[in-house]
Amino acid sequence: MTITRHAVRRYKGRIGKKTASRKRIITQINRDLQRDVRYRKPSKVKDHYILVTSKYQAVCYKSRVVTIYRLNEDATNYKYNEKLEMELMAVA
């Protein structure tokens, strides 16, 4: 699954170690999404879905991890649009 730089930055700030390398974080997110997904939650936004793991929620759009939320935050209204695509264009 493709992971945006924004998702890596959010993971660093909220879940993982702040000094970890980007490559290590991408590996960790991919491992979590392969092994630790509890369920897939629908989003209120079209074409978006949320994968809930034991540590965080990953908001996905067209097989891309767009951002990451903590478990106690509401991620159902997050919308990935063209303006954000320009900001998040660089894929990790």
Side-chain angles (χ1 to χ4, degrees), residues 20-33:
S21 70
R22 187 175 58 188
K23 184 178 179 181
R24 185 177 183 131
I25 290 175
I26 291 169
T27 305
Q28 184 63 44
I29 292 172
N30 277 324
R31 186 180 305 132
D32 288 345
L33 294 179

Side-chain angles (χ1 to χ4, degrees), residues 47-62:
D47 296 332
H48 290 63
Y49 57 94
I50 302 164
L51 297 175
V52 179
T53 68
S54 61
K55 294 186 261 184
Y56 57 87
Q57 303 176 72
V59 179
C60 302
Y61 172 72
K62 293 185 179 176

Side-chain angles (χ1 to χ4, degrees), residues 64-82:
R64 264 188 269 189
V65 177
V66 179
T67 191
I68 289 179
Y69 281 95
R70 289 189 181 127
L71 289 173
N72 58 356
E73 294 175 320
D74 181 30
T76 56
N77 288 325
Y78 184 85
K79 185 173 183 179
Y80 182 71
N81 57 22
E82 297 301 320

Side-chain angles (χ1 to χ4, degrees), residues 1-32:
M1 197 172 249
T2 307
I3 301 167
T4 61
R5 286 182 190 260
H6 180 71
V8 170
R9 191 168 60 240
R10 298 271 298 197
Y11 186 89
K12 264 185 163 179
R14 286 162 177 73
I15 290 96
K17 293 183 178 180
K18 301 200 182 345
T19 57
S21 70
R22 187 175 58 188
K23 184 178 179 181
R24 185 177 183 131
I25 290 175
I26 291 169
T27 305
Q28 184 63 44
I29 292 172
N30 277 324
R31 186 180 305 132
D32 288 345

